[in-house]
Amino acid sequence: MSDILVKIRDLHFSRGDRKIFDGLSMDIPRRGITAIMGPSGSGKTTLLKLIGGQLTPDQGSIEVDGLNVHQLSTRKLFELRQRMGMLFQSGALLTDLSVFENVAYPLREHTKLNDAMIRHLVLLKLNAVGLRGAAQMMPSELSGGMSRRVALARAIALDPMMIMYDEPFTGQDPISMGVLVSLISELNKALNICSIVVSHDVPDTLSISDTVHFISAGKVVESGSPEALRESQSKWTHQFIHGDADGPVPFHYPADPIMEDLCR
Amino acid sequence: MFSGLIDRVAHLGAATIHSFRRLGRGSVFLLEVIASCASLFTRPRLLIKQLYSVGVQTLIIIVVAGLFVGMVMALQSYYALIDFGAEDSVGVMVALSLMRELGPVVTALLFAGRAGSALTAEIGLMKATEQLSGMEMMAVNPMQRIVAPRFMAGVISMPLLATIFSAVGVIGAYLVAVELLGLDSGPFWSQPQNKVDLYLDLYNGIIKSVVFGVVATWIAVFEGYDCIPTSEGLGQATTRTVVHSSLAILFLDFVLTALMFTK
């Protein structure tokens, strides 16, 4: 079995006239947490949707566990997705189902387990994210952080080989953020799976990642361990990690000289 | 001058292409929905839940509207027919109008406004909050779990609602014509019994309402599924559902009437 779970080669993808990926290549290992970081609009979420087969690339290939995602039949793709978990930015909980039923949903859809077994599994998953006590609540009664934890419990319901996290820390208060950071780290250790975290939250993401890929302008700018990237000589990486206002990514959006504009 | 003209022609061409592209997408979507309906045999509870939401919850507006439409028709028919001494025909006139036209058409228009807009908003909001994407990533086909039950519930509900509308309309007409205006109840009931034809009137009315049900629900679920997932996009999709459904229903009513009631 290869150590590489996700293999991306020469990926090209555009939305209308806007090029999102321009020959992106990347390997994601089978175990550990891999962070994909980059500025807003760099295509991080799009990359997750491409890995999950929800979008089709213009060119290039994405292999997950040796299977070319975009050449699979719908049935095969759905079989592959049963081994993938995805945590959406909004949680994406089904609003007409309770917390318990949301976590039970993939189990009811894809297994023939009886109600007692499903109940045990759901309560264990909810316990893992600290929300067993909220099992009977409705999604509308949950805070943003709680919604993501429930969504995380649902993502691990079928014991997947990988979990993709789409901006898990966005809009969280410090306590919720701390809970999510430690949950992602601990779950990955306990389940010994592949976690792909897409984020632009530098300190927290670097603190839990084993490998980091920085992407910008449709390509991988730099990859490596968090320690190596902190020491990187690349000006782009330095600017991104330290949040400098100006640098290779300019403060000003491209425009004519200001005097020309003012004198018009 | 020429560039302005060319711009207008280009704009018209782009709008036409956009409309046909949407029609094509909508047609493929309809085929997918029909193919997905087979999954309802294994999960009838999804359909039952939607029958309640789409059908039962639309019942009140249908009953109230049917009652008033029947009452108004009885009044108008009475005032028109009494000049010819033919006021005994109020019953048959109301019954035929309701079964052939007003039952299916008004029910479909009310359905598009009440249930159709709700279906679009619900599915559109599920798209905007990534619930549909979430289902896809859980290897669950939203066409089977979300769209097909709602579509089938609309198609089943519409003829039942139209029948109830017509029945309540006749009762409303009875209340006005017999109880209020003092017409004899004998001819009020016996004339429709003689004149209303099972195939020509009742069955054709039901066929109409089934066709309206397919079209109104198809437009509603497609607009929701195809909407731009923003608050503005969702608002526009809901408006389009009501406008397009209403126009389609009225146009199809003309076509079906022309085909069904030729002499």
Side-chain angles (χ1 to χ4, degrees):
Chain A
M1 194 186 286
S2 163
D3 285 342
I4 304 300
L5 184 67
V6 182
K7 192 186 281 184
I8 303 171
R9 290 290 175 272
D10 191 32
L11 186 72
H12 291 255
F13 182 78
S14 304
R15 282 190 194 277
D17 295 334
R18 191 169 157 247
K19 229 173 180 25
I20 310 283
F21 296 120
D22 187 16
L24 181 132
S25 296
M26 185 186 285
D27 286 335
I28 297 174
R30 190 173 286 275
R31 312 264 178 248
I33 299 177
T34 299
I36 297 170
M37 307 189 76
S40 299
S42 57
K44 303 183 294 295
T45 302
T46 306
L47 185 59
L48 291 188
K49 290 193 169 179
L50 283 159
I51 294 172
Q54 289 189 294
L55 295 173
T56 307
D58 302 331
Q59 194 186 317
S61 67
I62 298 178
E63 283 183 19
V64 176
D65 201 22
L67 299 169
N68 189 325
V69 175
H70 302 97
Q71 287 181 354
L72 295 175
S73 64
T74 307
R75 193 173 62 82
K76 291 276 181 197
L77 179 63
F78 273 33
E79 280 174 13
L80 179 64
R81 281 181 184 164
Q82 287 182 37
R83 297 192 287 142
M84 295 174 163
M86 178 138 174
L87 182 73
F88 285 86
Q89 198 171 338
S90 60
L93 297 177
L94 300 170
T95 46
D96 58 336
L97 300 180
S98 67
V99 164
F100 181 94
E101 286 302 327
N102 260 287
V103 181
Y105 192 78
L107 294 166
R108 293 197 199 285
E109 287 289 331
H110 299 303
T111 70
K112 290 192 167 75
L113 297 173
N114 60 36
D115 281 350
M117 186 65 86
I118 286 179
R119 185 169 178 277
H120 281 149
L121 283 172
V122 170
L123 291 180
L124 285 173
K125 304 293 178 190
L126 281 173
N127 199 48
V129 298
L131 289 177
R132 186 165 44 84
Q136 296 312 318
M137 289 170 82
M138 293 302 285
S140 58
E141 299 172 278
L142 304 176
S143 68
M146 287 167 84
S147 294
R148 280 182 214 186
R149 284 154 69 188
V150 174
L152 185 51
R154 188 178 66 178
I156 58 172
L158 290 172
D159 296 326
M161 62 181 174
M162 63 186 282
I163 304 179
M164 295 185 277
Y165 298 87
D166 183 13
E167 304 277 11
F169 312 126
T170 304
Q172 297 299 302
D173 65 66
I175 298 172
S176 300
M177 178 110 99
V179 169
L180 282 167
V181 169
S182 65
L183 256 180
I184 291 171
S185 175
E186 283 168 19
L187 275 176
N188 190 76
K189 277 182 201 144
L191 303 173
N192 195 23
I193 55 173
C194 165
S195 296
I196 305 172
V197 181
V198 149
S199 176
H200 44 52
D201 184 90
V202 176
D204 287 303
T205 310
L206 291 190
S207 71
I208 56 169
S209 304
D210 299 299
T211 312
V212 182
H213 297 281
F214 284 132
I215 59 172
S216 179
K219 289 189 171 163
V220 175
V221 177
E222 198 168 1
S223 300
S225 67
E227 297 75 29
L229 291 171
R230 279 199 186 95
E231 303 302 321
S232 169
Q233 298 302 308
S234 158
K235 284 184 181 170
W236 191 96
T237 304
H238 187 276
Q239 185 190 4
F240 189 78
I241 288 180
H242 294 91
D244 298 336
D246 210 354
V249 180
F251 172 73
H252 288 287
Y253 193 78
D256 295 332
I258 188 166
M259 285 311 289
E260 268 183 37
D261 242 1
L262 292 175
C263 296
R264 251 175 222 157
Chain B
M1 184 192 161
F2 276 114
S3 68
L5 190 66
I6 288 168
D7 281 350
R8 280 184 194 176
V9 172
H11 183 72
L12 185 68
T16 310
I17 290 170
H18 176 74
S19 302
F20 275 97
R21 193 172 281 164
R22 265 181 72 79
L23 187 64
R25 242 186 3 253
S27 305
V28 172
F29 179 84
L30 179 62
L31 294 177
E32 276 184 60
V33 174
I34 291 169
S36 302
C37 285
S39 67
L40 293 174
F41 288 109
T42 54
R43 286 184 166 79
R45 286 177 69 178
L46 290 173
L47 178 61
I48 291 166
K49 191 177 170 189
Q50 290 309 317
L51 278 172
Y52 175 77
S53 168
V54 172
V56 177
Q57 292 195 326
T58 312
L59 199 56
I60 297 263
I61 189 174
I62 295 296
V63 168
V64 173
L67 190 70
F68 286 127
V69 167
M71 290 165 86
V72 168
M73 283 187 63
L75 268 182
Q76 292 285 14
S77 311
Y78 177 80
Y79 293 137
L81 294 173
I82 199 163
D83 291 342
F84 308 100
E87 66 271 24
D88 283 347
S89 301
V90 165
V92 69
M93 191 166 174
V94 171
L96 282 178
S97 307
L98 281 170
M99 278 182 217
R100 287 182 172 192
E101 294 296 336
L102 288 172
V105 172
V106 177
T107 303
L109 293 175
L110 290 170
F111 180 89
R114 214 297 304 178
S117 57
L119 284 176
T120 304
E122 187 187 13
I123 295 175
L125 202 59
M126 289 182 89
K127 186 178 181 182
T129 53
E130 295 182 307
Q131 292 181 55
L132 299 181
S133 288
M135 290 182 110
E136 281 177 7
M137 284 309 296
M138 284 190 282
V140 174
N141 188 347
M143 293 295 272
Q144 292 178 355
R145 297 293 181 280
I146 301 296
V147 180
R150 284 160 177 77
F151 175 76
M152 193 47 83
V155 175
I156 293 172
S157 299
M158 186 73 87
L160 298 174
L161 291 170
T163 309
I164 292 169
F165 183 97
S166 298
V168 174
V170 171
I171 292 169
Y174 173 84
L175 291 175
V176 169
V178 177
E179 300 295 337
L180 193 68
L181 300 172
L183 288 181
D184 189 354
S185 68
F188 183 90
W189 291 118
S190 63
Q191 284 200 15
Q193 202 175 359
N194 292 331
K195 295 279 182 187
V196 174
D197 186 80
L198 183 66
Y199 292 97
L200 186 67
D201 302 316
L202 192 62
Y203 285 2
N204 278 342
I206 290 172
I207 290 169
K208 271 188 180 181
S209 58
V210 170
V211 173
F212 298 159
V214 170
V215 172
T217 321
W218 167 39
I219 290 173
V221 290
F222 174 67
E223 288 291 352
Y225 206 82
D226 199 55
C227 77
I228 300 166
T230 60
S231 48
E232 191 189 4
L234 194 51
Q236 287 172 348
T238 312
T239 307
R240 274 199 305 271
T241 290
V242 178
V243 173
H244 291 183
S245 300
S246 304
L247 292 177
I249 287 160
L250 294 171
F251 170 72
L252 283 171
D253 183 46
F254 168 72
V255 174
L256 290 172
T257 304
L259 290 173
M260 288 170 172
F261 299 102
T262 47
K263 292 245 174 181

